[in-house]
């Protein structure tokens, strides 16, 4: 009798494991990160769903997420999401398999609002263009400087991992207050004797000035701007899939992204793609390297 009870118990456990499924997906909506309004974020969500639907992946429900904790909470539910579409910070945090990743590199950097200089609204100067002794001073000062970055953003995570800044203050992405809010926030924190940094993509930092920004001290327009790039680049957005998803569906999803060739501006924004992009399946070595680059 005891053996029968034990066997029944074991069988029930097996069936319970087999019965566990997944549903829907999670979406780190780039329109939210940018600070767009509700109409743009909803449009991006619809574009993503319509793109994913033909692969056979579950598309009900698809939930917008804003940070890593949203992923960690969702994957612990009795019925976890089948997939995550987002940057490597949220994607790798899920523990899901990276199926197709935009390998076009993202280079992060810290834009430093430094001492008062002699030029109004001057262009930023990259660290490598400074004399060696000044480079050392900038890096040392940055170690005692507060920097603003987007929470769960890959640029922020790369800078944090290298301990470039003394303190990283993470701003939660939300509609109306996205990445464009970081320069404003930094400008209002800057003082003539107090450096401030903001974390962004290298290309964005290179094109930045304080011309259209204001702070508590109007000398912000005279602040010298320096750029300190992070050492390691990141890959872009991609799709990560739960282990219970059938192999043929995973294969179809990967092929759908890898074969993508589109000029549809709405889809490009929804997938966080620029003028150039290349989806591919990352090797195990590449995945491990990305994990190390993001580790604090």
């Amino acid at each position: 009798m005891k053996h029968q009870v034990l066997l029944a118990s074991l069988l029930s456990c097996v069936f319970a494991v087999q019965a566990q499924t997944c549903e829907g997906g999670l979406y780190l909506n780039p329109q939210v990160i940018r600070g767009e309004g509700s109409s743009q974020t909803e449009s991006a969500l619809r574009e993503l769903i319509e793109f994913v639907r033909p692969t056979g992946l579950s598309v009900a429900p698809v939930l917008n997420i804003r940070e890593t904790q949203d992923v960690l909470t969702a994957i612990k539910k009795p019925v976890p999401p089948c997939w995550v579409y987002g940057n490597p910070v949220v994607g790798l945090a899920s523990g899901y398999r990276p199926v197709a990743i935009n390998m076009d590199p993202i280079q992060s950097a810290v834009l430093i609002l430094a001492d008062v200089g002699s030029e109004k609204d001057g262009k930023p100067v990259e660290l490598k263009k400074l004399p060696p002794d000044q480079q050392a001073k900038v890096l040392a000062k940055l170690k005692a400087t507060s920097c603003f970055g987007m929470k769960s953003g890959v640029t922020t995570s790369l800078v944090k991992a290298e301990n470039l800044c003394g303190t990283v203050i993470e701003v939660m992405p939300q509609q109306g207050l996205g990445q464009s809010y970081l320069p404003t926030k930094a400008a209002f924190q800057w003082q003539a004797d107090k450096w401030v940094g903001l974390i962004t993509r290298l290309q964005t930092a290179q094109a930045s000035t304080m011309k259209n920004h204001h702070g508590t001290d109007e000398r912000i327009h005279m602040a010298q701007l320096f750029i300190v790039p992070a050492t390691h680049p990141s890959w872009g957005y991609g799709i990560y899939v739960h282990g219970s998803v059938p192999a043929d569906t995973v294969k179809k999803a990967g092929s759908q992204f890898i074969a993508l060739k589109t000029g549809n501006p709405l889809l490009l924004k929804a997938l966080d793609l620029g003028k150039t992009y290349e989806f591919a399946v990352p090797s195990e070595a590449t995945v491990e390297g990305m994990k190390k680059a993001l580790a604090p």
Side-chain angles (χ1 to χ4, degrees):
M1 183 65 179
K2 289 182 179 179
H3 291 297
Q4 290 177 330
V5 172
L6 179 60
L7 180 60
S9 177
L10 288 172
L11 287 173
S12 68
C13 289
V14 170
F15 289 137
V17 170
Q18 290 178 339
Q20 284 185 346
T21 57
C22 62
E23 64 178 15
L26 302 179
Y27 179 33
L28 185 70
N29 197 323
Q31 299 297 86
V32 176
I33 305 298
R34 295 188 188 103
E36 300 286 359
S38 60
S39 62
Q40 289 94 333
T41 58
E42 290 167 6
S43 173
L45 179 60
R46 287 195 300 271
E47 288 289 335
L48 176 70
I49 290 173
E50 291 309 309
F51 181 74
V52 170
R53 191 188 301 278
T55 68
L57 286 172
S58 172
V59 291
V62 179
L63 305 176
N64 282 320
I65 57 173
R66 296 192 299 166
E67 60 163 326
T68 305
Q69 188 56 51
D70 294 338
V71 179
L72 300 179
T73 300
I75 63 176
K76 292 176 182 177
K77 292 180 178 180
V79 182
C82 292
W83 50 273
V84 178
Y85 187 78
N87 67 25
V89 178
V90 299
L92 294 175
S94 70
Y96 289 8
R97 173 186 172 186
V99 172
I101 304 298
N102 177 19
M103 302 306 293
D104 198 44
I106 294 172
Q107 181 66 56
S108 63
V110 180
L111 176 66
I112 304 171
L113 283 57
D115 297 326
V116 174
S118 57
E119 183 180 358
K120 184 177 181 180
D121 297 322
K123 295 181 179 179
V125 178
E126 291 193 44
L127 184 72
K128 64 184 180 181
K129 295 183 179 179
L130 297 173
D133 60 331
Q134 195 171 352
Q135 288 185 32
K137 289 179 181 178
V138 168
L139 289 174
K141 187 74 177 283
L142 183 56
K143 287 281 188 182
T145 296
S146 294
C147 300
F148 291 92
M150 298 304 296
K151 191 172 181 62
S152 297
V154 67
T155 52
T156 302
S157 296
L158 289 168
V159 168
K160 283 180 66 177
E162 292 185 27
N163 294 313
L164 291 177
C165 301
T167 304
V168 174
I169 302 168
E170 296 184 83
V171 179
M172 181 69 79
Q174 56 185 302
Q175 291 175 352
L177 292 176
Q179 292 168 324
S180 60
Y181 179 57
L182 293 180
T184 301
K185 196 167 183 64
F188 273 93
Q189 291 294 319
W190 178 87
Q191 298 173 14
D193 59 348
K194 180 184 177 182
W195 288 17
V196 177
L198 64 95
I199 302 168
T200 185
R201 297 190 183 196
L202 178 60
Q203 299 94 321
T204 303
Q206 290 169 334
S208 296
T209 71
M210 288 295 108
K211 186 174 182 179
N212 296 317
H213 296 286
H214 300 279
T216 52
D217 187 335
E218 280 303 304
R219 285 178 293 176
I220 185 66
H221 293 283
M222 302 300 295
Q224 298 177 75
L225 304 179
F226 300 120
I227 298 173
V228 177
T231 302
H232 301 288
S234 164
W235 64 51
Y237 268 53
I239 191 161
Y240 302 74
V241 177
H242 188 267
S244 68
V245 175
D248 58 339
T249 303
V250 174
K251 184 178 180 181
K252 193 171 183 179
S255 298
Q256 172 94 338
F257 280 90
I258 291 169
L260 178 64
K261 303 292 180 186
T262 182
N264 179 349
L266 292 178
L267 181 58
L268 290 173
K269 287 182 179 180
L271 300 179
D272 197 47
L273 305 179
K275 293 180 180 179
T276 62
Y277 57 88
E278 180 185 1
F279 280 102
V281 181
S283 66
E284 289 186 13
T286 301
V287 173
E288 288 304 310
M290 191 73 260
K291 288 179 179 177
K292 290 180 181 178
L294 293 172

